[in-house]
């Protein structure tokens, strides 16, 4: 495959309260470049011309840290199923393509600069209940707390969430339900998560609403862009947990079960 | 509970399902309009409904469900607009997003306006010798009324397109692809059934 000539339309914004605008750049990329490497090359040439480089988030560049973002041609993390932006390669684009790059948009994800948004609202939600605070003592004997294979798989599927925020970015309501449900489910389905199950459901829902995220209209766009392919069935689980938490009183809530 | 985002969604789902059940019952009753008996069966049914002591309480339940459904919809739409003040310059629909799903508030508003006209025409309309059947027949003999009803029933079908499986998902029952297809089939059956009435009377005159 040969190199591709690309026209980029990139959202530039000098600061949180500044007005943003699109700027156009021409660049050349090899097919084996990742999308972020392509942006690195654009930034190198901007710096050579004494211009400010495009700000964007990235860290591990292997699809596990949840740091990279970007809405590429109207799709969070760009084309390709189950991938983050750093796992997107320029071979996905044709010679002469115009690529529009925008930051994740949501009131709860304010733009800091250019394509960088503040996703600390997610941290607030996890701080509200996405943890276990009960003292579980020293490491238990192997197999003394039984977890069925299916249950373990369910918990692991939910725990795959890397908190990138693509679900919020793609949702027309900026709903964080897929993220919140994943962060809730990986604890609520396991025996170790039972003592705080009810409080966790209530606290995480409250934190989600307080942070200003929208509601879910069951259009499942989040599932389609999630780099970890978390199912919207997880959202149905969150709904059930919330109803359950309002019906079950604290004293009746099950403590550790071997379910 | 109903002050939270999920609680409001629960309210939408429950009231929506109440209204959905009503539509099925309403359509089942209306199918008697197709009986080739000069309207005897339908008029008997209409009389039975009007004289039924359970009618008024049922109407209040339906009115309550409707008011709450509209209230929650307005509240959630406001929430959604606040949560996403700025959209994208380039937008590509992914997943289950459809024209029907993103215009629920507009199809719903259309149905709400239609309801006022519909109730005025048929519930509080003047019935003469031929009873309610004759009123229905006379109304749909007019091309404007017949066409208007067909259009609104299409909008209703659109609204129901994203209704049933969405309600089940909100209730916590993961509505998979099969349920989504069932939901679409139901919307076509219900809207088609209602739309057949004005078409039938207009063509039968």
């Amino acid at each position: 495959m040969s190199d591709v000539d690309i026209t980029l339309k990139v959202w530039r914004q000098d600061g949180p309260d500044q007005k943003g605008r699109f700027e156009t750049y021409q660049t050349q990329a090899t097919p084996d470049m990742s999308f972020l490497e392509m942006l690195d090359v654009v930034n190198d040439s901007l710096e050579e011309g004494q211009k400010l480089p495009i700000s964007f988030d990235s860290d591990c560049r292997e699809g596990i840290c949840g740091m990279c973002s970007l809405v590429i041609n109207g799709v969070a993390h760009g084309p390709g199923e189950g991938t983050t932006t750093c796992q997107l390669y320029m071979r996905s684009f044709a010679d002469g393509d115009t690529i529009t790059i925008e930051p994740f948009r949501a009131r709860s994800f304010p733009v800091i600069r250019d394509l960088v948004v503040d996703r600390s609202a997610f941290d607030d939600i996890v701080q509200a209940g996405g943890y276990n605070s009960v003292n579980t003592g020293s490491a238990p004997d192997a197999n003394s707390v039984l977890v069925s294979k299916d249950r373990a798989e369910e918990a692991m599927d939910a725990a795959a969430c890397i908190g990138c925020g693509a679900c919020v970015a793609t949702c027309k309501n900026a709903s964080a339900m897929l993220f919140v449900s994943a962060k809730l489910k990986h604890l609520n389905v396991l025996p170790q998560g039972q003592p705080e199950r009810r409080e966790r459901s209530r606290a995480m829902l409250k934190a989600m609403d307080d942070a200003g995220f929208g509601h879910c209209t069951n259009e499942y766009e989040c599932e389609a862009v999630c780099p970890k392919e978390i199912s919207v069935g997880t959202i149905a689980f969150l709904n059930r947990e919330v109803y359950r938490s309002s019906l079950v009183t604290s004293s009746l809530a099950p403590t550790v079960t071997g379910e | 509970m109903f002050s939270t985002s999920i609680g409001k969604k629960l309210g939408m789902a429950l009231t929506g399902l109440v209204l959905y059940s009503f539509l099925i019952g309403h359509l089942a009753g209306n199918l008697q309009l197709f009986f080739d008996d000069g309207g005897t069966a339908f008029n008997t049914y209409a009389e039975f409904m009007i004289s039924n002591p359970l009618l008024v309480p049922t109407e209040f339940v339906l009115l309550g469900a409707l008011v709450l459904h509209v209230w929650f919809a307005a509240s959630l739409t406001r929430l959604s607009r606040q949560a996403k003040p700025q959209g994208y310059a380039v937008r590509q629909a992914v997943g289950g997003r459809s024209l029907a799903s993103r215009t629920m508030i507009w199809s719903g508003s259309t149905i709400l306006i239609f309801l006022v006209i519909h109730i005025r025409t048929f519930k509080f309309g003047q019935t003469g010798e031929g009873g309610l059947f004759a009123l229905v027949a006379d109304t749909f003999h007019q091309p404007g009324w017949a066409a208007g009803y067909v259009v609104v029933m299409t909008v209703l079908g659109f609204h129901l397109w994203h209704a049933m499986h969405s309600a089940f998902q909100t209730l916590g029952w993961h509505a998979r692809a099969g349920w989504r297809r069932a939901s679409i089939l139901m919307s076509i059956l219900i809207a088609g059934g209602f739309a057949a009435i004005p078409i039938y009377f207009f063509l039968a005159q």
Side-chain angles (χ1 to χ4, degrees), chain A residues 35-128:
Chain A
F35 198 82
L36 296 183
E37 284 165 346
M38 180 274 294
L39 286 177
D40 289 338
V41 169
V42 173
N43 277 347
D44 282 347
S45 68
L46 282 173
E47 282 173 32
E48 274 167 28
Q50 298 294 309
K51 287 187 186 136
L52 279 172
I54 303 162
S55 297
F56 62 90
D57 271 324
S58 76
D59 192 7
C60 75
R61 299 209 176 194
E62 52 185 8
I64 55 167
C65 77
M67 203 58 208
C68 61
S69 57
L70 311 184
V71 170
I72 300 159
N73 285 340
V75 180
H77 290 304
E81 280 176 26
T83 53
T84 55
T85 295
C86 63
Q87 295 168 300
L88 174 65
Y89 290 88
M90 293 313 291
R91 57 176 171 266
S92 308
F93 299 94
D95 191 41
D97 273 2
T98 298
I99 305 173
T100 306
I101 311 174
E102 296 173 78
F104 280 2
R105 298 256 184 232
R107 189 183 59 150
S108 311
F109 287 172
V111 172
I112 298 171
R113 187 185 183 89
D114 297 339
L115 303 169
V116 178
V117 298
D118 179 1
R119 285 169 280 183
S120 54
F122 269 13
D123 299 335
D124 296 339
I125 294 172
V126 170
Q127 278 162 13

Side-chain angles (χ1 to χ4, degrees), chain A residues 220 223 231-237 240, chain B residues 165 168-177 179-180:
Chain A
Y220 309 145
E223 181 184 67
S231 157
V232 292
T234 319
I235 294 180
F237 177 85
R240 290 201 300 278
Chain B
H165 72 85
F168 285 142
Q169 166 82 9
T170 301
L171 290 175
W173 184 9
H174 180 198
R176 289 167 204 280
W179 271 103
R180 274 176 252 177

Side-chain angles (χ1 to χ4, degrees), chain A residues 102 169 173 209 217-218 240 243, chain B residues 5 80 84 89 162 166 170 172:
Chain A
E102 296 173 78
N173 313 311
D209 284 353
T217 44
N218 307 324
R240 290 201 300 278
Y243 306 147
Chain B
S5 60
S80 158
K84 196 111 184 176
H162 187 66
S166 180
T170 301

Side-chain angles (χ1 to χ4, degrees), chain A:
Chain A
M1 283 176 84
S2 54
D3 292 2
V4 285
D5 284 313
I6 298 287
T7 306
L8 294 176
K9 277 181 69 187
V10 183
W11 181 262
R12 302 298 307 262
Q13 185 172 334
D14 299 332
D17 302 318
Q18 308 284 314
K19 232 174 118 59
R21 76 266 165 206
F22 281 104
E23 279 186 15
T24 309
Y25 306 95
Q26 305 289 337
T27 190
Q28 207 173 39
T30 61
D32 55 354
M33 265 183 181
S34 81
F35 198 82
L36 296 183
E37 284 165 346
M38 180 274 294
L39 286 177
D40 289 338
V41 169
V42 173
N43 277 347
D44 282 347
S45 68
L46 282 173
E47 282 173 32
E48 274 167 28
Q50 298 294 309
K51 287 187 186 136
L52 279 172
I54 303 162
S55 297
F56 62 90
D57 271 324
S58 76
D59 192 7
C60 75
R61 299 209 176 194
E62 52 185 8
I64 55 167
C65 77
M67 203 58 208
C68 61
S69 57
L70 311 184
V71 170
I72 300 159
N73 285 340
V75 180
H77 290 304
E81 280 176 26
T83 53
T84 55
T85 295
C86 63
Q87 295 168 300
L88 174 65
Y89 290 88
M90 293 313 291
R91 57 176 171 266
S92 308
F93 299 94
D95 191 41
D97 273 2
T98 298
I99 305 173
T100 306
I101 311 174
E102 296 173 78
F104 280 2
R105 298 256 184 232
R107 189 183 59 150
S108 311
F109 287 172
V111 172
I112 298 171
R113 187 185 183 89
D114 297 339
L115 303 169
V116 178
V117 298
D118 179 1
R119 285 169 280 183
S120 54
F122 269 13
D123 299 335
D124 296 339
I125 294 172
V126 170
Q127 278 162 13
Y131 54 80
N132 244 347
S133 64
V134 285
N135 189 347
T136 51
S138 54
D141 284 342
N143 300 331
S144 67
V145 180
L146 297 178
V147 180
S148 72
K149 166 83 170 138
D150 289 347
R151 210 28 93 81
E153 291 287 352
E154 267 185 76
M156 283 305 289
D157 284 349
C161 173
I162 54 176
C164 65
C167 45
V168 172
T170 197
C171 178
K172 78 174 186 349
N173 313 311
S175 172
M177 296 264 291
L178 195 67
F179 167 78
V180 176
S181 62
K183 291 295 169 203
L184 172 119
K185 188 178 180 184
H186 79 103
L187 297 168
N188 274 18
V189 292
L190 293 178
Q192 293 85 348
Q194 298 309 308
E196 290 166 299
R197 182 173 177 180
R198 175 177 178 267
E199 281 65 32
R200 178 178 301 115
S201 308
R202 294 162 78 103
M204 290 183 84
L205 169 63
K206 187 173 182 302
M208 176 181 95
D209 284 353
D210 288 348
F213 292 107
H215 65 292
C216 175
T217 44
N218 307 324
E219 296 176 60
Y220 309 145
E221 288 189 285
C222 50
E223 181 184 67
V225 298
C226 177
K228 298 299 151 189
E229 301 184 311
I230 292 170
S231 157
V232 292
T234 319
I235 294 180
F237 177 85
L238 169 64
N239 290 336
R240 290 201 300 278
E241 289 296 287
V242 166
Y243 306 147
R244 189 180 183 280
S245 74
S246 67
L247 294 173
V248 181
T249 62
S250 213
S251 55
L252 289 175
T255 50
V256 180
T257 65
E259 193 186 2

Side-chain angles (χ1 to χ4, degrees), chain B residues 53-64:
Chain B
L54 289 176
L55 180 74
V56 174
T58 310
E59 282 177 341
F60 272 106
V61 169
L62 288 172
L63 184 66

